[in-house]
Each structure stands twice: as C-alpha cells, then as structure tokens.
Amino acid sequence: MNIEAARLMTTAETAFVDIFEANEDHLPGDDTVKDARIAAIAALKHAGLPTRKVEAWHYTDLRRLLNTGYKLAEPPEFDDVKADARRLQLEVDTLKLPFANGHFLKEMADELPATVRIDPIAACAFIPAPYEADPSDAIIMLNTALFSDGVCLHVAPDAKLPQPIEIDVAFSGDDKIMAATRHRVEVNAGAEATFVDRCGGPDRVQYLSCSMVELTVAENAKATWIISQEQGDLATRLARLNITLKKNAQLTVVVVNAGGNLVRQEINADIIGEGADLIIRGVNLVGGDSHVDVTTKLLHKVQNTTSTETFRNVTTGRGSGVFQGMIGVAQPAQQTDARMACNTLILSDDSGFSAKPELEIFADDVQCAHGATVTDLDATQLFYLKARGIPEDKARALLVKAFLSEIVEDLDDDALSEVLDHRIERWLEAHD
C-alpha cells in the first residue's frame, strides 16, 4: 500500500491559512462567497503556492520567493492615513476612491456622477471567478479566500464620464501585513469611461498587496483602464485583471510597473462579442533586486475581433523581468486580427528579461503575429547624440525615455499621458 506523505506548508502558506481561520466570520460576502472562500483556502492547502514546475509560473517561483509570514492589515486611523493616501494619488483631476491597507475610506471618497452607481463589494451580486485546485491559479485562490474590501461600479448605459475614476490602494508603514482587494466594474452599453487602478506604499517595509478586478465592457461601450503600480522596494504585488468584451466594445489597458520587489500582474481577457477591440500597452521598469512578471492570456472566441499588445521593458541593477503572452483563437473566431510585441532594453550585465510569446490558433482565416527583442541601447544613436555635444549619461537617458514614452503618449486624456510619462521619467532618474 502506498501512503502519500503530507505536504509541508511554507511560512507564507501557513500564515494565509491562519489569517483565514482567524477572520473567516468577519470577511465580507454572502453564503455563496463564503463557500467560495472555504473552497479557495482548501485548494491553497492542497496545491500550495506555485513553483517553477508549474508552467505558468516557470519564471517566478512564488513558493520560494514568497517566504514571509504575513498578518492581515487592520484599518488604519483616518488621520494617520490621510496624508499618505493623498500623496499616492495621481496629480490629475480624477474622482478618487481611496483605500488604505485594503479598506475603503468612504469619508475621503469623491462624489461620483449620478450615472455611476457604487456598491460595497459585499452588496454585489457577486460570483467569484472560477478556479481549480491548481497552483497556477494562486492569485485567484489567495484573493478569493482573503479579500477584505472593494467596490462595485456600474456605469449607466450611454453615459459619458467627464473625469477618470481613480481607485487608490495605499499601504501604511506597518511591516509584514497583507491586504487583498476585489473590485467589479461594469461599463454598460454605449457608455464611455476611464479608470485608474493606482497602488503604492512606502519603501523599506515588507507588505503584500493582492488585487483582483473583474471588468466588463458591454456592447458599443468604450473604456480605458490604467494600472499605475509603484509599490515600495520590499513589497510584493500579486494582481489579476479579468476582462470581458462584448459586441463592438473597445478597451485600452495601460500598465506601468515602476516599483515593488516582487510583482506578478496577470491580465486575462475573454473577447466574446463580434467587432470587439482590445489594446494593451505596458511599461515594465525593473531595477535594484526586483522581479516583475506580466502574464497575459487573450482569448478570441467569436469572429471579427482584434487585439494589439505591446510591452516595453527596461532592466538595470540586478533586476529580472518576465513577459508571458498567450493569444488564443477559437475555431469560430474567423477573421481575427491579433498582434503582440515585447521589446526590452538591458542596461546592466547583472539584470535580465525573459519573454515567452505564444499563439494558439484553431481558426484558419486569421492574421496573427508575435515578436520579442532584447537588446542594449543602439550604439549608432548614442554616438549621434554624443557627437552633437550631449554628455553620454544624458544621451542614454534620452534614448531610454524615447523608447518608453511611445507607450503612454497616445491616451485620449493628455493629462494622464503627461503624468504617466512623468512617473517613467522619475524612475529613470532614480536608476541612473
């Protein structure tokens, strides 16, 4: 008779189970959500955090990298977090929904237009995203089991929001805390809206931010979703964006990763409406000892849809980066046009970047392409600038900035483009 040895849990896995068991009765949600939480923590106990043996996590051994025991973050005092929350907000005219240590600060939130309904996450008709007892779904399992707060936003049909809605998730200076937030956003038929998913926190503090967003863009609606990530230099960020695009929906996603010690950003999209168009543009700035992993999965399920995915990456110091992009085209999805590109500048000998673009196509009338490049700065361009009297350090900075700025400069909102460009410039100045 074969006896299977019990799996030994790591410090982090044990902490997550302890957090759940201590707070199970206090976490938000109806009976359906509670059942999902119990199933999620059971799956985590069984499968554990993923290692390199799990294909989707081959370049990010989470079980080894996430080895700290965390405790659940408490709601901070209002006065203590006010300054930090405002400091982390973007310097643009947005409608702000601030969170601190994973808890919604309703007293500080801006009033939303009548065309936007906001509900607490516990009040939503909420069905957790599907998952299996598989370590490849680690972010879903963790978030489903442990999310403490979030909002549901519903943009009314044909509404045109005059300002972006900015969701700010700020962390205090407490060490070894974790917080999980979950948001559900629906842009209904014919509406137009821009959202900023902003997250950040202090340096020299270990904390874990776990975020999950479910975004639906309905028929003939147009939306922009911006992720601006500036976690502290010792922080861990695990995030998932689930997207559903319906008929003739248009969505632009912009990702700027400019912080964190360990970052995993997943983007999964189900393109289920004919005529839908998805654009994803991203910048990954990887320095120090940080590790940044962006993993995307775009599934074209019906005919006549388009997607364009472009990432630009810069690595320096001892930083390491990963881009895994998969485009899937189902058999009914004829006349799909899907393209993906990942371009990387390596600025130091000790840094590196891994790119893994994939196509999985079951239709025969499609236009699909992918490509990846990894290089240093162009010596000819550098010589050209130096020959005109520009010092080498400034010449290098100009070339890197030009390489990255293209990703954020085409937003419809010029103010947002300018702020994101400034974020990139500030990171480059700090990592000369």
Side-chain angles (χ1 to χ4, degrees), residues 134-202:
D134 188 307
S136 63
D137 287 324
I139 295 176
I140 299 180
M141 287 190 287
L142 279 176
N143 190 276
T144 298
L146 300 174
F147 76 87
S148 57
D149 211 342
V151 291
C152 294
L153 298 174
H154 309 268
V155 181
D158 298 317
K160 305 293 189 291
L161 299 192
Q163 298 167 269
I165 295 176
E166 182 180 345
I167 301 172
D168 290 288
V169 179
F171 278 78
S172 66
D174 296 334
D175 197 31
K176 296 185 178 180
I177 61 171
M178 77 153 292
T181 55
R182 193 161 187 143
H183 309 292
R184 189 172 188 178
V185 179
E186 296 179 353
V187 183
N188 284 293
E192 295 184 10
T194 296
F195 303 89
V196 179
D197 181 358
R198 170 83 174 89
C199 53

Side-chain angles (χ1 to χ4, degrees), residues 233-246:
D233 58 1
L234 299 181
T236 295
R237 164 79 170 174
L238 304 175
R240 175 80 166 261
L241 172 61
N242 282 345
I243 298 166
T244 301
L245 292 187
K246 298 185 178 181

Side-chain angles (χ1 to χ4, degrees), residues 203-221:
D203 288 335
R204 299 179 297 280
V205 178
Q206 286 186 314
Y207 63 87
L208 168 62
S209 170
C210 182
S211 168
M212 187 163 175
V213 176
E214 296 182 82
L215 172 63
T216 300
V217 185
E219 183 174 348
N220 296 315

Side-chain angles (χ1 to χ4, degrees), residues 282-283 285 310-314 343-345 347 377-378 381-382 385 393-410 420-422 424-425 428:
V283 170
L285 304 173
T310 307
F311 276 85
R312 299 281 173 87
N313 318 292
V314 172
N343 308 111
T344 304
L345 282 178
L347 300 183
L377 291 174
D378 187 288
Q381 294 176 348
L382 191 60
L385 294 176
D393 59 340
K394 293 189 179 297
R396 292 176 67 87
L398 285 171
L399 292 176
V400 174
K401 180 80 181 310
F403 172 73
L404 296 171
S405 294
E406 180 183 346
I407 297 298
V408 299
E409 66 184 9
D410 291 334
L420 293 176
D421 194 58
H422 175 67
I424 293 171
E425 186 173 318
L428 293 174

